[in-house]
Amino acid sequence: MKSAVEIVRDIKQGATTASAELERSLEAIHARNEELNVFVHVDETAARETAARIDERVVQGEDPGALAGVPIALKDNLCRIGVPTTAGSRILEGWKPPYSATVVDLLLAAGAVPVGTTNMDEFAMGSSTETSYYGPTRNPLDPSRVPGGSSGGSAAAVAAGMTPISLGSDTGGSIRQPAALCGIVGVKPTYGLVSRYGLIAFASSLDQIGPFATNVTDAALVLETIAGHDPRDSTSLPEPAPSLVSVIESGVAGKRVALVRELVDGADADVVDAVQRAADALREAGATIVELSIPECRLGLSAYYLIAPAEASSNLARYDGVRYGLRVDAEDVSAMNEATRTLGFGAEVKRRIMLGTYALSAGYYDAYYGQALKVRTQMIDAFRSAYREADVLLGATAPSVAFKFGEKMSNPLAMYLSDVFTIPTNLAGDAAISVPFGTGEAGLPIGVQLLGPGRSEAQLFAAGRVLELARESS
Amino acid sequence: MATPLRREDVAKVAKLARLSLSEEELDTFTEQLGQILEHANDIAALNLDDIVATAHPFGLINVVRDDILVPCLPVDDVLGMAPDAEDGRFAVPRIMGEAP
Amino acid sequence: MTLPNGWEMVVGLEVHTELRTTTKMFCGCANAFGAAPNTHVCPVCLGLPGSLPVLNVRAVDLAMAIGVALHSRIGFSTFHRKNYFYPDMPKDFQISQYDLPINSGGYLALLDGSRISIERAHLEEDTGKTTHLGASGRIHGAERSLVDYNRSGVPLVEIVSGPDIRSSTQARLYASELRGILIATGASDGRMEEGSMRIDANVSVRKSGDPFGTRCEIKNLNSLRSLVRAIDFEALRQTELLDDGGVVRQETRHWDDAVGATSTMRVKEEAEDYRYFREPDLVDLDPDSAWQERIRTSLGPMPAERRGALLDRLHEPTSAQRDALEVVVDLSLDAYVAAALDAGLDGALAIARAANELAGDIEHLGNLTSEAFVTTLSLESSGALSATQAKTVLTELLANGGDPASIARAKGFEQLSSDSLGATVATLIDEHPDEWARYRDGDDKLAQFFIGQVMRLTSGQANGKAVIAELQSRR
Ligand SMILES: [Mg+2]
Ligand SMILES: [Zn+2]
C-alpha cells in the first residue's frame, strides 16, 4: 500500500486522484472488514463526496492540503457531526454528535478523507479491543490474536492496508501498545499538544489523540496536521504545531539514548532482545547508549489504575439516559439512571467506574486518589531528571507480542499489566512513540518505545526514523 | 494502609455510581476490585507527606476566554438527541427528591 | 422578633448570585433570562461527550470585584468537580470551587453598625431548570418533569457568611446590603424574583453563651420578606421543639411561603458523598497583583460610602428621609440627588422626588438627564411649578425625555403662574366678599379657603405660595 506521503505527492502531481485512492481503500475494507471487525461504521457516500471535492480542488489548481486525498480511519471516540460516534459502548449506540472534534476539522481542512470509524475497547478501557460492545477486532497479522487496545480498530485498519493512516487515543498506552502488536508506528504526543475537544473523555488528565501509520514520516505528517493550540481546550499548550517532517532525517548522532531497566524488566526474552538490538542500531547511527533506572515506573500501574478510573467515574456520570443515548425506562429518574447505566455499560467500564468512585469516596480519597496524585508528581520529577542525563529513553512498548483472545479477559490485573511500559509516559505528560522492530513468537511483530520530554516529538521521530532505516537495511 | 475491600463497600459504591449488581456480580467485582486495590496498596502505604499533587504537567495557569457570544446549537438538534422530550424540554420520569 | 425563654437564634446565610456576563461560565452561549427552552445551549453546557469547559474571564473579574467589596483575600484558586446525579445537571457533576476559593474571608458592614464575617465567595456554575408536571406543580406527586438547560452553566458566585447573624431583621439588613453591593459592583442585577439572587439560611438556636445548636438549612427563600418569615418561623420551631424536650435534627428544610412554614426536605444522614476532586479539564487560577489592581481601581464607591456622602449633605435628616436615601442608593439614583444638592436645591426635596418619581420608572432613567432633573426641581422650588406639576413633568421626562420648561408649557402649566392666577383670585374675591373681608382684617386662616377655591377652579394646577402672594398683594 502507498504511504500517505506518496499519495499526497501523486495527487498533487496528478498521477492519481483522491477518488481512486479512496476506492482502493474501500476495496481493502470490503475484503477483510467482515473477518476482522475493524470498522464499526463506514461512510462510503460521504467519503466519496469528500474525495471528489479534493479532486475538484486539484483540477482548479488550488492547494488541496497537506493530507490531500489520504484515506484515514478515525477511532470511534472522536466526534464527527452527523456521524454515529459510540466510544465502543451500547450506551451511545446510534448517537450522532451535533459537532465535530477539533482534530476532525483540522484533518478535513488538510484534505484528508475520513472513510469510517474504528472499533475500540468500550470508552477506551481495555488493551485488546475485546471490551467493545460491537465485538472484538481481530489482529490482521493473526486473526486468532488481539490487535491490542484500546485503539485496536485504528491499528488494525493500517496494519490491514485499509487506510495508510488513522487516529487513536492514548490514555495509558492505547495507541502505542496496539501499534506494537500490529507492527506499525504509533505516537502518544505530549499532553496538550493535540486538542482533546471532541474526544469522548476517558481520563481527562491523561488522554491524548495521536496517529497510527505504516512509517514514521507519515505519522509525523499527521501529527503536524492535528497538533497546535486550541482555544476550546483549556489544557492545550499555547504554541502552534511543531515542524516534524522537515527534520525527520536529522538522525541521532551525538544524542544520548538511555535504555531504561524498568521499561524492559518482565518483558518476554525476544522483546528484551529486540530492544537491545534497537539500542545497537541507534549506537550505529552515532548515539551514545547509557543504562538508566527509573524506579518510580514500578508505581505507575497503581497510580494509573486509581487516577484514570477516578476521572472516568466522573466523566462517565453524564451517561444517565436523560439527554442523549440509551434510556431504559423506569418509575423515577434515579431508577431510570440506574437501569440505563446497568444495561448500557459493559463489565470493564463498570469495574473502573466503581474503582474510581471508591478511590474518590470519603475515607479513601487520601489513601488512594490523593496518594496516586503525589506519585504522579514523583513520576514527573523522575522523568525530568532522567532527561537531564539522556535526550531519548528506550524501552519495550508491550511485554509480549499479540496475545490470544480471552487470554486476559478473566483476569483484569493481568490485562492491566500489558500497559506497564506505556503508562509512565501518560502520567508524566511526556511524549513517546512505538516503532516496529524485529519479530518474536510466531513471527509476530515487536514494538520498541522511544520516550522523550514534553515537546520533544521532532527528536523522537528522528530517532524512530533511524530505527526504521536500520530495519529496512537488515 | 487501607483496609481490604468488603462486599458492602462495593454495594455502596455501585449505588453511588448508579449501577445495580446481581449477587454474583457483587462477588466477582468484590474479588477483582480487591485484587486491584491490593496491588494499589504499594502506593497507599508510601509516606508522601512532603509531595504535592501536580495539576497540569506543564504548569499552565489562568487559561480564560473573552466574554463573547458563540452561536448555540439549533434547538431541533438538541431535542433530536433526547430519549424523550415535551414542549421544547427534555422529559424525565418523576424526580424523587429536591436537588442537594 | 425576640425568642422566648432566653433563646437566641444563630443564622448564617449562603447567597447564590448569578453574574451579569454576556455569555455562560464555560461556553459562549448567551447568559440570558427568559428565552425559549433549550435555545441557549451548546455541546459544553449540555455536557455532550467530548466537550470541554473554558473559563469566562468576565466571570472571574466580577467574582474578584465581589471579593474586593467584601474585603476578602483574593488569590490562587482551583476548580473542583462536585459529583452527584441530578437531571438538571448535564454532566452529573457541578464545576465549583472547594478548598481554594477565589475569595476567602472578609466582612460586610450593616446599617445597624454590626459587621457580619464572610467565610468565602467562590465561583461555580448554575444548573438547568426543571418543571414538574402533574397535580401540584411541585416536585412531590409530579408524574414527570421537564428540563430546560438554558440556565445550565450560567456563572454564579456563592457568598457564605459566618454564623454571626442574630435576628431576622439583621438577616434582612445583611441581604439587602449585600444586594446593594452586588448591584454596585455590576456583578448582579440582584433580582430575587428572577432567581438571580438566591438565599439559603442556616438556622440554629441556643441559650446565649452556650455553644451553637444543631442547624437546619432553609431553602426556597424567594424574597427578603420570605427570608425574614422563614427564619422567624424556623427559630421558633426549634425553640418550641427544645422546650418540649425534643431534639433538632440536622436537615434541609423547604420554606412554603403560602403556608408560612418550613418542612423537611432532606435529612442530612442521607447526605451525598460528593467525591470532590480537581477538575482536570481546567487549569488553576492565579490572578496576579496587576489583574487584582485593575479590578480594584475599576470599582466605584459601595452603597455604604454613597449613603454616607449624601447623608453628610442633609441637615438633621428624618428617619423617613434616611429610608428614602437607602432607596436612592440601592437604585443608584444618587447622581441625580448630588446634582440637585450641587445646584443648591433642598436635599429633602431631591431625595423625595428621586425615591418616588424616579424610583417609580427606573427602566426609563435613560431618558432623564440630571440637568433636566435639576431644572424641574428648581422650577418647583421657585414656585413656577406646583408639586403636582413638577411630578407630572418628571413623569413625562422619564417617559419621553425632553426639556422641562417646554413640557410645562405644553401642559399649559405656566399660564397659572402670573396674570391668569391674578384674574382667578380677583373673581374669587368678588364671589366671596365676607371671606375676603375677614382675611383682609388679618385672619390668615382664610388664605387656606382661597387656596382651596383656586385649586378647585384650576383642578390642582395652581401653586399655593403663588396664591398667597396674589392675595397679599390685594390686602
Ligand atoms: Mg454551591
Ligand atoms: Zn453553551
Side-chain angles (χ1 to χ4, degrees):
Chain A
M1 179 182 62
K2 276 157 93 177
S3 74
V5 170
E6 289 162 347
I7 291 174
V8 173
R9 183 200 59 209
D10 293 355
I11 284 178
K12 288 185 174 175
Q13 291 174 355
T16 182
T17 64
S19 305
E21 296 301 327
L22 172 63
E23 292 311 321
R24 202 165 293 134
S25 162
L26 292 174
E27 274 164 37
I29 294 170
H30 294 146
R32 290 193 79 185
N33 197 48
E34 194 100 336
E35 170 203 5
L36 302 175
N37 192 32
V38 170
F39 285 86
V40 290
H41 175 81
V42 180
D43 33 12
E44 303 198 7
T45 328
R48 289 198 170 98
E49 285 164 9
T50 313
R53 273 199 301 277
I54 305 296
D55 293 331
E56 182 55 28
R57 298 192 62 178
V58 176
V59 173
Q60 298 301 325
E62 299 166 29
D63 174 7
L67 287 172
V70 182
I72 186 168
L74 300 172
K75 191 177 182 178
D76 195 20
N77 59 357
L78 297 169
C79 291
R80 257 194 302 162
I81 188 163
V83 178
T85 309
T86 71
S89 181
R90 178 176 190 175
I91 210 155
L92 278 176
E93 191 169 19
W95 179 63
K96 293 188 177 128
Y99 78 105
S100 291
T102 297
V103 291
V104 170
D105 291 341
L106 290 170
L107 286 171
L108 291 172
V113 180
V115 297
T117 41
T118 57
N119 199 18
M120 60 183 280
D121 281 298
E122 185 176 8
F123 285 102
M125 297 175 188
S127 308
S128 65
T129 319
E130 287 168 289
T131 72
S132 170
Y133 171 67
Y134 306 95
T137 293
R138 300 184 169 279
N139 190 318
L141 308 174
D142 176 352
S144 72
R145 295 172 187 262
V146 304
S150 66
S151 313
S154 286
V158 171
M162 295 172 168
T163 58
I165 53 172
S166 63
L167 288 192
S169 65
D170 189 314
T171 306
S174 286
I175 290 174
R176 290 158 291 161
Q177 183 257 16
L181 273 50
C182 291
I184 59 172
V185 175
V187 185
K188 185 272 170 190
T190 301
Y191 184 75
L193 187 73
V194 178
S195 169
R196 292 184 295 116
Y197 189 78
L199 165 66
I200 298 181
F202 163 15
S204 312
S205 74
L206 300 162
D207 297 342
Q208 263 298 284
I209 298 168
F212 288 97
T214 57
N215 66 87
V216 177
T217 312
D218 280 3
L221 180 62
V222 176
L223 186 53
E224 273 183 356
T225 309
I226 61 171
H229 177 68
D230 180 7
R232 293 182 295 183
D233 176 356
S234 305
T235 63
S236 129
L237 294 173
E239 69 267 16
S243 342
L244 302 170
V245 176
S246 60
V247 293
I248 204 141
E249 303 293 348
S250 43
V252 293
K255 299 289 184 199
R256 300 161 305 165
V257 176
L259 210 162
V260 181
R261 193 170 310 124
E262 289 75 14
L263 297 182
V264 286
D265 281 1
D268 294 353
D270 46 16
V271 173
V272 178
D273 181 57
V275 173
Q276 189 53 60
R277 277 184 285 103
D280 299 340
L282 291 166
R283 186 188 290 104
E284 294 285 303
T288 47
I289 309 296
V290 295
E291 273 230 7
L292 209 72
S293 170
I294 306 178
E296 287 76 7
C297 290
R298 301 190 188 285
L299 299 173
L301 196 72
S302 297
Y304 176 83
Y305 277 98
L306 292 170
I307 292 171
E311 293 181 10
S313 69
S314 175
N315 283 335
L316 273 62
R318 70 193 63 193
Y319 306 106
D320 58 7
V322 173
R323 289 158 299 277
Y324 47 81
L326 179 72
R327 171 184 294 191
V328 177
D329 281 309
E331 265 305 286
D332 62 83
V333 164
S334 316
M336 183 276 281
N337 296 152
E338 195 163 309
T340 300
R341 293 165 62 79
T342 301
L343 184 72
F345 290 138
E348 182 59 26
V349 171
K350 287 175 183 170
R351 195 150 39 230
R352 303 222 197 170
I353 287 176
M354 288 190 289
L355 184 56
T357 306
Y358 182 76
L360 287 174
S361 62
Y364 300 102
Y365 181 100
D366 295 330
Y368 290 119
Y369 186 70
Q371 284 288 95
L373 291 181
K374 293 175 170 190
V375 168
R376 183 176 193 173
T377 299
Q378 288 187 309
M379 187 75 71
I380 292 169
D381 298 343
F383 274 90
R384 296 248 160 105
S385 45
Y387 290 123
R388 281 192 283 275
E389 293 166 50
D391 305 299
V392 175
L393 305 181
L394 176 66
T397 303
S400 68
V401 297
F403 46 91
K404 301 248 181 213
F405 286 98
E407 220 173 85
K408 301 182 171 166
M409 279 304 270
S410 53
N411 181 349
L413 197 52
M415 182 71 85
Y416 296 174
L417 282 164
S418 53
D419 292 333
V420 69
F421 300 144
T422 47
I423 279 169
T425 307
N426 298 83
L427 289 171
D430 293 336
I433 171 172
S434 178
V435 180
F437 203 79
T439 54
E441 178 202 340
L444 289 162
I446 292 170
V448 299
Q449 193 180 192
L450 296 161
L451 301 78
R455 303 175 162 113
S456 69
E457 278 79 4
Q459 194 173 77
L460 293 182
F461 280 110
R465 176 66 180 149
V466 167
L467 293 183
E468 193 167 72
L469 290 168
R471 192 183 65 221
E472 284 159 11
S473 62
S474 65
Chain B
M1 198 57 169
T3 52
L5 186 75
R6 296 155 308 173
R7 211 166 179 277
E8 55 264 41
D9 299 325
V10 178
K12 175 174 165 288
V13 160
K15 194 99 203 86
L16 261 181
R18 298 269 159 105
L19 295 168
S20 40
L21 303 180
S22 68
E23 289 305 306
E24 48 271 63
E25 278 178 316
L26 202 47
D27 292 328
T28 31
F29 280 129
T30 306
E31 192 212 331
Q32 291 172 331
L33 296 180
Q35 279 177 15
I36 298 160
L37 287 169
E38 206 179 305
H39 188 278
N41 280 334
D42 60 2
I43 70 168
L46 297 172
N47 177 349
L48 304 171
D49 299 346
D50 49 352
I51 314 277
V52 292
T54 306
H56 187 286
F58 305 102
L60 295 191
I61 56 160
N62 298 343
V63 175
V64 293
R65 61 175 181 86
D66 293 336
D67 188 17
I68 293 168
L69 281 171
V70 172
C72 298
L73 287 171
V75 67
D76 298 348
D77 292 9
V78 172
L79 297 166
M81 293 185 289
D84 185 8
E86 190 175 320
D87 65 56
R89 297 169 172 86
F90 291 81
V92 294
R94 77 165 59 92
I95 303 172
M96 291 317 261
E98 312 257 3
Chain C
M1 180 198 76
T2 46
L3 295 172
N5 315 331
W7 288 106
E8 169 189 67
M9 70 170 79
V10 175
V11 178
L13 296 182
E14 286 174 23
V15 174
H16 285 83
T17 181
E18 287 180 348
L19 299 178
R20 282 178 60 202
T21 53
T22 306
T23 66
K24 293 185 180 181
M25 190 164 181
F26 298 115
C27 65
C29 293
N31 169 11
F33 179 83
N38 295 303
T39 53
H40 290 343
V41 294
C42 73
V44 177
C45 57
L46 262 183
L48 294 189
S51 65
L52 296 171
V54 184
L55 183 58
N56 181 343
V57 69
R58 179 73 183 145
V60 180
D61 289 346
L62 293 175
M64 283 164 68
I66 292 171
V68 171
L70 294 174
H71 316 279
S72 301
R73 253 174 293 106
I74 300 172
F76 177 87
S77 67
T78 63
F79 290 92
H80 275 61
R81 291 183 180 181
K82 181 182 184 182
N83 296 285
Y84 63 93
F85 285 88
Y86 207 76
D88 66 6
M89 211 166 43
K91 305 180 292 302
D92 286 297
F93 61 76
Q94 178 196 34
I95 301 178
S96 182
Q97 296 193 294
Y98 184 52
D99 51 353
L100 292 166
I102 184 162
N103 304 305
S104 42
Y107 65 87
L108 179 58
L110 306 190
L111 276 164
D112 66 0
S114 65
R115 241 189 205 199
I116 306 303
S117 69
I118 300 295
E119 283 177 3
R120 56 191 284 146
H122 70 258
L123 276 160
E124 62 184 28
E125 59 177 338
D126 207 344
T127 63
K129 261 204 168 89
T130 45
T131 320
H132 306 295
L133 300 182
S136 58
R138 281 275 317 274
I139 187 163
H140 301 294
E143 273 321 298
R144 53 202 235 124
S145 301
L146 303 180
V147 195
D148 166 16
Y149 293 103
N150 282 349
R151 199 182 65 182
S152 151
V154 163
L156 293 176
V157 165
E158 178 178 346
I159 302 151
V160 183
S161 86
D164 302 351
I165 297 167
R166 292 291 176 271
S167 73
S168 56
T169 323
Q170 201 181 15
R172 184 188 230 288
L173 281 179
Y174 173 89
S176 52
E177 191 65 33
L178 183 57
R179 187 172 168 281
I181 279 182
L182 294 174
I183 294 167
T185 51
S188 165
D189 57 21
R191 296 211 180 103
M192 287 187 79
E193 60 289 352
E194 284 184 10
S196 53
M197 179 176 167
R198 307 194 283 271
I199 306 179
D200 300 337
N202 288 304
V203 180
S204 68
V205 297
R206 67 170 177 184
K207 297 275 171 144
S208 30
D210 287 4
F212 292 148
T214 311
R215 63 189 173 89
C216 293
E217 184 178 11
I218 316 300
K219 290 190 175 288
N220 191 43
L221 306 174
N222 302 326
S223 67
L224 293 181
R225 186 167 165 279
S226 51
L227 170 71
V228 170
R229 293 174 67 212
I231 289 177
D232 284 338
F233 175 91
E234 179 60 19
L236 206 55
R237 182 191 73 88
Q238 292 182 17
T239 55
E240 282 163 2
L241 194 61
L242 292 165
D243 283 338
D244 299 352
V247 286
V248 175
R249 186 174 51 167
Q250 187 178 2
E251 60 188 5
T252 307
R253 299 179 63 87
H254 182 275
W255 167 253
D256 187 326
D257 215 40
V259 181
T262 64
S263 58
T264 301
M265 210 173 99
R266 198 180 330 95
V267 183
K268 275 281 187 259
E269 280 69 39
E270 305 159 13
E272 298 247 3
D273 180 347
Y274 293 124
R275 290 154 288 136
Y276 278 98
F277 74 104
R278 195 87 143 277
E279 165 57 276
D281 288 327
L282 291 169
V283 301
D284 296 340
L285 200 52
D286 194 4
D288 59 12
S289 46
W291 189 354
Q292 295 188 37
E293 208 37 48
R294 210 185 71 234
I295 300 300
R296 278 177 211 289
T297 49
S298 68
L299 278 186
M302 289 300 115
E305 194 181 327
R306 283 155 48 200
R307 271 194 305 267
L310 288 182
L311 217 46
D312 294 346
R313 304 178 68 174
L314 298 181
H315 325 295
E316 55 273 343
T318 66
S319 72
Q321 284 169 3
R322 288 171 176 276
D323 293 351
L325 193 81
E326 267 181 65
V327 177
V328 166
V329 170
D330 277 357
L331 301 176
S332 316
L333 299 168
D334 23 347
Y336 291 101
V337 176
L341 286 161
D342 296 343
L345 290 160
D346 171 22
L349 174 67
I351 287 175
R353 292 285 170 271
N356 297 307
E357 281 63 42
L358 272 53
D361 192 10
I362 207 77
E363 295 75 24
H364 296 97
L365 277 182
N367 295 333
L368 178 66
T369 65
S370 45
E371 294 69 24
F373 179 72
V374 170
T375 315
T376 314
L377 266 60
S378 319
L379 287 169
E380 180 179 355
S381 39
S382 75
L385 291 177
S386 69
T388 325
Q389 291 171 335
K391 292 176 182 177
T392 317
V393 169
L394 283 176
T395 318
E396 175 60 24
L397 282 166
L398 283 163
N400 306 312
D403 147 61
S406 24
I407 291 172
R409 208 171 301 111
K411 296 209 177 277
F413 290 165
E414 292 140 316
Q415 306 159 2
L416 292 168
S417 47
S418 50
D419 11 337
S420 65
L421 179 60
T424 320
V425 171
T427 336
L428 283 169
I429 289 174
D430 297 346
E431 288 173 4
H432 306 283
D434 303 355
E435 287 78 3
W436 173 247
R438 284 163 58 196
Y439 174 75
R440 205 178 38 194
D441 301 344
D443 187 347
D444 289 342
K445 290 196 298 310
L446 268 299
Q448 285 312 316
F449 164 79
F450 282 104
I451 293 173
Q453 295 300 313
V454 175
M455 288 300 178
R456 182 175 52 78
L457 290 172
T458 63
S459 52
Q461 296 305 318
N463 177 313
K465 294 200 200 96
V467 176
I468 291 173
E470 198 60 46
L471 289 166
Q472 275 169 349
S473 69
R474 294 161 191 271
R475 235 176 187 172

